[in-house]
């Protein structure tokens, strides 16, 4: 645990437990723990507020975290010009919320971390597409053991943002709980991690000045490992730098 002089506020998008009708909002607590133990303060940005309010909230935070979760809904395939398959579960309100939040955050140059569904919606919002359902193959992407345990390997690209907190290690053991994956990578993103079967497990911005990372696995459940703690630390540090730079800009502009 460490403290930044200014503890970054990080917006987390949250949807309903039962899509498309008022029910109970749902956020896996380990995202909150991962952020607070990295020195940040989480701020919930929930469905049920209007798009202008989403933009206002994004403007007031220092970073954006797009989470996933057990049985998280899939982004609607119409956002990448496909019809929904029977296996696709959708929450249109969460899609709208996250697409608006991503547009505002990337417009501001704000750091963005997408996890699992968050990685997928990030790719879709920026113009990419998804594999709607991964057929069972050589690698099991839907583990039936707890998420605190790793199940498959992932090869990272040397020099990527993820390789640095991993201590330069290019082979990472990760957990896996997804039935979809990135198909066409969005313009502005590049693939920096794949599993043995070629499934995309990590993307980042093609612009080295932007901190935008998407991971298909769940680092918030693996905080007992240095590499995953390091990812959150790097994200929170980038959020602090982002706001410090904006404050300097405001104070020095005429
Ligand atoms: Mn996987």
């Amino acid at each position: 645990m460490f403290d930044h002089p200014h503890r970054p506020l990080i917006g987390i998008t949250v949807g309903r437990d039962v899509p498309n009708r008022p029910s109970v909002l749902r956020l896996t607590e380990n995202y909150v723990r991962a952020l607070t133990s990295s020195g940040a303060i989480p701020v919930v940005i929930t469905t049920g507020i209007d798009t202008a309010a989403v933009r206002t909230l994004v403007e007031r935070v220092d970073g954006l975290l797009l989470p996933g979760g057990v049985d998280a809904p899939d982004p609607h395939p119409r956002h990448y010009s496909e019809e929904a398959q029977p296996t696709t579960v959708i929450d249109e309100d969460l899609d709208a919320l996250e697409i608006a939040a991503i547009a505002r955050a990337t417009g501001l140059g704000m750091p963005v971390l997408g996890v699992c569904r968050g990685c997928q919606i990030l790719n879709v919002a920026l113009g990419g597409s998804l594999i709607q359902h991964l057929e069972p193959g050589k690698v099991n992407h839907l583990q039936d053991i707890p998420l605190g345990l790793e199940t498959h390997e992932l090869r990272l690209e040397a020099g990527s943002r993820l390789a640095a907190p991993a201590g330069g290690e290019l082979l990472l053991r990760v957990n896996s709980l997804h039935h979809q994956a990135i198909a066409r990578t969005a313009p502005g993103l590049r693939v920096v991690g794949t599993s043995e079967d070629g499934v995309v497990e990590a993307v980042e911005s093609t612009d080295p000045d932007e901190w935008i990372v998407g991971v298909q696995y769940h680092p918030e459940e693996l905080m007992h490992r240095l590499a995953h703690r390091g990812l959150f630390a790097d994200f929170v540090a980038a959020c602090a730098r982002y706001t410090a730079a904006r404050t300097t800009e405001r104070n020095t502009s005429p």
Side-chain angles (χ1 to χ4, degrees):
M1 164 87 87
F2 61 96
D3 269 316
H4 292 279
H6 160 74
R7 292 178 69 190
L9 299 182
I10 300 195
I12 307 185
T13 50
V14 172
R16 301 186 185 102
D17 198 26
V18 180
N20 300 322
R21 66 176 176 80
S23 60
V24 173
L25 299 170
R26 170 172 80 163
L27 172 66
T28 305
E29 192 179 3
N30 278 347
Y31 290 105
V32 173
R33 290 174 185 273
L35 287 176
T36 54
S37 69
S38 305
I41 302 172
V43 175
V44 168
I45 306 178
T46 172
T47 51
I49 63 173
D50 60 79
T51 306
V54 172
R55 283 198 292 263
T56 299
L57 270 169
V58 171
E59 284 159 13
R60 293 194 185 181
V61 294
D62 308 312
L64 179 65
L65 172 61
L66 307 156
V70 178
D71 296 328
D74 305 311
H76 198 302
R78 72 179 166 78
H79 296 298
Y80 48 94
S81 309
E82 282 184 24
E83 306 264 316
Q85 293 177 3
T87 48
T88 308
V89 180
I90 291 150
D91 184 345
E92 293 258 32
D93 292 340
L94 184 57
D95 285 350
L97 163 75
E98 290 186 326
I99 289 169
I102 292 163
R104 193 68 194 111
T106 53
L108 288 164
M110 172 181 288
V112 179
L113 174 60
V115 175
C116 198
R117 174 205 154 82
C119 171
Q120 296 165 0
I121 193 75
L122 177 67
N123 184 61
V124 168
L126 298 179
S129 71
L130 302 177
I131 298 166
Q132 287 194 48
H133 192 67
L134 287 169
E135 292 306 327
K138 160 159 119 169
V139 174
N140 181 12
H141 292 283
L142 274 171
Q143 73 185 55
D144 45 21
I145 54 172
L147 278 177
L149 300 169
E150 294 94 336
T151 192
H152 71 67
E153 263 179 358
L154 130 69
R155 180 166 290 280
L156 288 174
E157 196 183 294
S160 61
R161 283 200 186 279
L162 283 164
E169 288 287 333
L170 297 180
L171 269 185
L172 207 57
R173 297 274 311 158
V174 296
N175 50 19
S176 195
L177 197 68
H178 56 110
H179 81 109
Q180 296 198 329
I182 289 178
R184 185 182 68 247
T185 311
L189 294 179
R190 64 188 188 111
V191 175
V192 292
T194 46
S195 47
E196 213 186 332
D197 54 356
V199 166
V200 175
E201 290 278 342
V203 291
E204 68 178 39
S205 175
T206 53
D207 179 348
D209 293 332
E210 280 180 346
W211 203 105
I212 299 176
V213 172
V215 291
Q216 191 56 75
Y217 54 93
H218 287 271
E220 78 285 359
E221 302 287 343
L222 297 169
M223 293 291 279
H224 49 287
R225 305 280 190 215
L226 194 61
H228 305 295
R229 259 201 324 277
L231 173 63
F232 272 92
D234 196 47
F235 173 50
V236 172
C239 296
R241 281 199 306 277
Y242 157 78
T243 292
R246 275 168 62 82
T247 308
T248 310
E249 213 173 276
R250 264 200 304 273
N251 292 345
T252 54
S253 57

